[in-house]
Amino acid sequence: MRYLVISDIHGNLSAFQTVLQDAEGEFDFIWCLGDVVGYGPDPNECVALLRQHPHRCLSGNHDWAVLGRLDLSTFNDDARNAIAWAQGVLSDESRSYLEALPSLAVENDFTLTHASPRHPVWEYITDRYTAQVNFGHFETDYCLVGHTHVPIVFEELDDNEIMTHAPVYAQPLPLNSARLIINPGSVGQPRDHDPRSAYAILDTDRMTWEHRRVAYPIAETQERMSDYDLPYRLIARLDYGL
């Protein structure tokens, strides 16, 4: 089975469409690691497009926030304003879909969650120590996470040390006996100083993982964000992958 693994679409329809076009014919099923909405101008359209494909999706912190499950004071001003806007435009159909999403799932050798297996909706795995703690919170060989918007691989070594691996693009990574926490990066709002959308292809027959990047029409998303008076900083950061 070939999986398109995506995370953090964040209402960016142009980016999501571009990723689907780039991966066309190379996947059978989508695993989405959450935050379908938030920040971007097209929450309903992104939900609808995801639902057109065979998929499994987890709930992220922005999905929860739009549903009113999180205190918005925990978000910065720009994120809070974008969430409030999304709450006002979210359709009943989109709301019902988001309400039904689980925060964690297990698929054979893979644990899927938005943030971390320890705290599925909110914790950021950005360093080796946090990764080390989280390896004790899942039993599968592999855990797929999003939330940080930065593609990375954490490997658990035999002596309980953690090694980090930067993504190597368009080159399949063999999944061997090592336990891994893997982040595919963000479709709609990359934060690793590369504005291109990030995603991955997982082939469970060959047991390979492939990080990928693809440029999308950023100006289209920015124009729609401007039309809806979304915060300027959220618009500008898309140019720089911040």
Side-chain angles (χ1 to χ4, degrees), residues 149-169:
H149 299 210
V150 177
I152 195 170
V153 177
F154 295 95
E155 178 182 357
E156 184 182 47
L157 304 178
D158 291 338
D159 56 3
N160 203 34
E161 292 296 316
I162 305 300
M163 180 179 292
T164 60
H165 303 277
V168 177
Y169 295 108

Side-chain angles (χ1 to χ4, degrees), residues 188-206:
Q189 194 189 87
R191 292 182 183 167
D192 58 345
H193 303 275
D194 183 340
R196 297 176 298 166
S197 292
Y199 73 95
I201 297 292
L202 169 66
D203 188 326
T204 55
D205 293 327
R206 298 181 179 180

Side-chain angles (χ1 to χ4, degrees), residues 6-8 145-152 183-187 190 198-199 211:
I6 56 176
S7 190
D8 298 280
V145 302
H147 193 44
T148 68
H149 299 210
V150 177
I152 195 170
N183 191 322
S186 172
V187 169
Y199 73 95
H211 284 285

Side-chain angles (χ1 to χ4, degrees), residues 29-80:
F29 200 88
I30 296 174
W31 282 348
C32 178
L33 305 178
D35 275 0
V36 181
V37 302
Y39 293 127
D42 306 302
N44 294 310
E45 292 82 356
C46 287
V47 169
L49 182 56
L50 180 59
R51 296 184 70 186
Q52 291 176 19
H53 299 269
H55 75 282
R56 181 153 200 178
C57 186
L58 287 304
S59 189
N61 60 306
H62 280 257
D63 303 319
W64 272 28
V66 168
L67 295 173
R69 293 178 179 175
L70 291 178
D71 182 356
L72 293 189
S73 68
T74 60
F75 292 81
N76 65 52
D77 288 346
D78 291 332
R80 186 164 58 248

Side-chain angles (χ1 to χ4, degrees), residues 80-225:
R80 186 164 58 248
N81 290 337
I83 290 166
W85 174 83
Q87 288 175 329
V89 302
L90 197 69
S91 68
D92 291 341
E93 186 175 6
S94 295
R95 179 177 297 276
S96 295
Y97 172 81
L98 295 176
E99 287 176 339
L101 297 180
S103 60
L104 186 145
V106 176
E107 297 278 357
N108 298 317
D109 291 332
F110 296 85
T111 296
L112 314 178
T113 190
H114 176 64
S116 78
R118 180 170 63 165
H119 298 296
V121 172
W122 195 259
E123 182 176 36
Y124 290 89
I125 303 181
T126 58
D127 58 85
R128 288 183 293 177
Y129 172 76
T130 308
Q132 183 182 52
V133 172
N134 271 280
F135 273 106
H137 287 265
F138 66 97
E139 298 180 355
T140 57
D141 290 333
Y142 312 104
C143 181
L144 307 184
V145 302
H147 193 44
T148 68
H149 299 210
V150 177
I152 195 170
V153 177
F154 295 95
E155 178 182 357
E156 184 182 47
L157 304 178
D158 291 338
D159 56 3
N160 203 34
E161 292 296 316
I162 305 300
M163 180 179 292
T164 60
H165 303 277
V168 177
Y169 295 108
Q171 180 177 322
L173 168 71
L175 300 180
N176 49 37
S177 58
R179 296 185 77 216
L180 304 174
I181 296 174
I182 313 177
N183 191 322
S186 172
V187 169
Q189 194 189 87
R191 292 182 183 167
D192 58 345
H193 303 275
D194 183 340
R196 297 176 298 166
S197 292
Y199 73 95
I201 297 292
L202 169 66
D203 188 326
T204 55
D205 293 327
R206 298 181 179 180
M207 286 305 288
T208 58
W209 171 278
E210 185 178 334
H211 284 285
R212 292 187 178 181
R213 299 304 282 256
V214 60
Y216 74 94
I218 293 172
E220 290 184 5
T221 300
Q222 292 174 318
E223 183 175 353
R224 289 198 298 278
M225 293 176 75

